[in-house]
Amino acid sequence: MPIIKGLDKLVKYNDRSIKDLTTTPTAAGGGGTGAIVHIKTLTASGDSTLNFVNGASGVVLDDTYPIYKIEFINLHPSADGDYLRMNFSIDTGSNYNVSKITTHFYSGHAEADGSTAVAYDTSSDYVGTGDLTIAPSVGNDNDQAFSGSMTLFNPSSTTFVKHFISTIHEAHSDNLAVSTYVGGFVNSASAVDAIKFVYTSGNIASGKIKLYGILDS
Amino acid sequence: MALPSNKLITINDRGARAATTFGSISAGGANMVFIKKLTASSSGTLSFVDGASSVVLDDTFKEYVFTFNNMHPATDEVNFTFNGSIDTGSNYNVTKTSTFFGAYHGEDDGDAGIIYRANSDLAQGTGFQPLGYLIGNGNDECTSGSLHLFNPSSTTFVKHFIATTNDYYYADYSLSHHVAGYCNTTSAIDAIQFKFASGNIDAGDICLYGIL
């Protein structure tokens, strides 16, 4: 018999059910796990490359998701004016050499307010199997880096090309604010199952690259 | 000794029901909520109509996102387009003003640049707004991208939209397009329709999400 009449009922009501909740109700802003699922975060520390390879180190890059999103957070180069480049693999990272085509344009504004531009960059667009440019001429002052995101559509398709769209903003090595817009497609009907990121001259001194999947059900 | 009823009420104070946050529970990306997926299979149109087939397109969310994945036309050299409705899909003909620009690059590396496409913007037009430009219908050709629609249920403001696509142009180019504009109406938008300007949507998926 409880020392206080009715305490047994009180304990029954406080049965830790709230603690054990794994989802929140829709009315509280939940309704499940949400459509954007974090898959993997890579943190750079003087790395020559950062790779997402399907099936390795907890990475999922297959038909689990129809759309993937990659976030670039303060990717800081060891070399001044370096180019962050990217490539895709169709053999889980054994080779990064798929055929690609991209467009590349930007807007820029100098810190000194003396120069502005909107222009297509024929030196940074790409046709071929090498590494394509996502962020050109990133500065390596202590506070310089670039951030942005890229969306990759249906990498597992064995029918269609694989479209991707990237928007980034960078602190340019010439002390400019530069917004860069890259779009293109992997010109292959093979499934893409790995992506690599690399600075051309030096290392990725610091920063994070985050991979997300977007659910369609 | 009986527990005073007011103490019991104090302990079971309905705090859980009234909670607005849930301690250590991660939202897990719950700020973007999946609503509906439509899969084309030689479809003339794909339509999202509020209240039909589990579609929500009302004041539940202040921003909606449509993703379109590998939209493949039956007909070569056609625009991928959308329009809005203010009468739950009876008519898709809202007035729109928009901008349309992008970059192009040929597979042969011989032609590239940035361009404003005056033939694809609208100035108080009620026709369908192009999102993807002259898509090819080769087996591997298609367009993918996304369309953001802001506050469609507003009865005060115009309804802004912003879209980004990457297109496999029929003449073997990669095209990257940035489209934005507004539905120039103070009526609520409650349905959105997608179609190719000519011919069917042979294949492709369109998903609708709400942003909390």
Side-chain angles (χ1 to χ4, degrees), chain A residues 3-7 9-10 13-14 18-19 21-26 28-38 66-67 101-106 118-120 122 125-127 153-154 157 159-165 167 181-185 187-189 214-217, chain B residues 1-3 8 11-12 16 19-20 22 24-34 37 67-70 72 101-109 112-114 138-146 164-169 172-176 178 203-205 207 209 212:
Chain A
I3 56 173
I4 301 176
K5 186 178 179 181
L7 187 60
K9 289 191 167 50
L10 183 64
Y13 292 146
N14 286 304
I18 300 300
K19 172 184 173 294
L21 281 176
T22 55
T23 62
T24 54
T26 300
T33 56
I36 302 177
V37 179
H38 174 254
I67 298 175
I101 178 169
T102 69
T103 57
H104 187 119
F105 70 96
Y106 66 92
V118 175
Y120 188 91
T122 55
D125 66 4
Y126 195 78
V127 174
F153 295 88
N154 206 7
S157 173
T159 302
F160 297 110
V161 299
K162 268 62 76 174
H163 290 288
F164 53 90
I165 299 170
T167 303
Y181 304 87
V182 177
F185 54 79
N187 202 356
S188 168
I214 299 180
L215 293 166
D216 67 345
S217 62
Chain B
M1 180 176 85
L3 194 66
L8 185 63
I11 294 168
N12 287 304
T20 56
F22 281 80
S24 62
I25 296 173
S26 168
N31 58 344
M32 182 167 163
V33 178
F34 171 79
K37 176 181 179 179
T67 61
F68 27 97
N69 209 344
N70 296 342
H72 176 68
F101 78 98
Y104 57 93
H105 191 190
E107 286 187 9
D108 62 0
D109 205 14
I114 188 169
N139 288 342
D140 62 348
E141 297 176 341
C142 59
T143 181
S144 296
S146 62
T164 306
T165 70
N166 203 79
D167 312 329
Y168 199 141
Y169 181 65
D172 296 339
Y173 281 63
S174 177
L175 306 183
S176 174
H178 299 259
D205 298 325
C207 289
Y209 302 86
L212 287 166

Side-chain angles (χ1 to χ4, degrees), chain B residues 94-97 124 157-159 161 182-187:
Chain B
V94 298
T95 300
K96 295 173 292 298
T97 294
Q124 296 298 88
F157 297 108
V158 301
K159 267 63 79 176
F161 57 87
Y182 50 82
C183 300
N184 199 358
T185 174
T186 54
S187 298

Side-chain angles (χ1 to χ4, degrees), chain A residues 178-201:
Chain A
V178 175
S179 296
T180 297
Y181 304 87
V182 177
F185 54 79
V186 175
N187 202 356
S188 168
S190 298
V192 166
D193 53 15
I195 307 174
K196 87 167 182 184
F197 301 93
V198 58
Y199 269 120
T200 308
S201 301

Side-chain angles (χ1 to χ4, degrees), chain A residues 50-129:
Chain A
L50 290 176
N51 302 334
F52 292 109
V53 179
N54 180 48
S57 304
V59 170
V60 175
L61 190 61
D62 58 14
D63 62 359
T64 303
Y65 304 96
I67 298 175
Y68 288 83
K69 186 162 189 177
I70 294 171
E71 298 276 353
F72 310 108
I73 311 294
N74 291 337
L75 285 179
H76 175 69
S78 63
D80 194 35
D82 212 344
Y83 286 67
L84 193 285
R85 290 185 169 142
M86 175 181 77
N87 212 330
F88 300 93
S89 171
I90 57 174
D91 52 13
T92 56
S94 295
N95 298 279
Y96 289 93
N97 59 356
V98 297
S99 177
K100 299 167 296 297
I101 178 169
T102 69
T103 57
H104 187 119
F105 70 96
Y106 66 92
S107 64
H109 187 197
E111 290 182 8
D113 202 17
S115 173
T116 59
V118 175
Y120 188 91
D121 186 352
T122 55
S123 65
S124 292
D125 66 4
Y126 195 78
V127 174
T129 59

Side-chain angles (χ1 to χ4, degrees), chain B residues 26-125:
Chain B
S26 168
N31 58 344
M32 182 167 163
V33 178
F34 171 79
I35 297 172
K36 183 73 178 179
K37 176 181 179 179
L38 299 178
T39 299
S41 180
S42 299
S43 309
T45 62
L46 292 177
S47 303
F48 294 88
V49 180
D50 181 50
S53 304
S54 303
V55 170
V56 176
L57 191 61
D58 58 14
D59 62 359
T60 303
F61 302 98
K62 292 297 185 186
E63 179 183 354
Y64 290 84
V65 179
F66 299 88
T67 61
F68 27 97
N69 209 344
N70 296 342
M71 306 309 296
H72 176 68
T75 303
D76 197 32
E77 196 181 343
V78 290
N79 290 342
F80 181 62
T81 69
F82 89 100
N83 211 333
S85 169
I86 59 173
D87 52 13
T88 55
S90 295
N91 298 280
Y92 289 94
N93 58 357
V94 298
T95 300
K96 295 173 292 298
T97 294
S98 64
T99 60
F100 192 109
F101 78 98
Y104 57 93
H105 191 190
E107 286 187 9
D108 62 0
D109 205 14
D111 187 22
I114 188 169
I115 187 171
Y116 186 93
R117 297 192 187 279
N119 62 355
S120 295
D121 63 7
L122 292 173
Q124 296 298 88

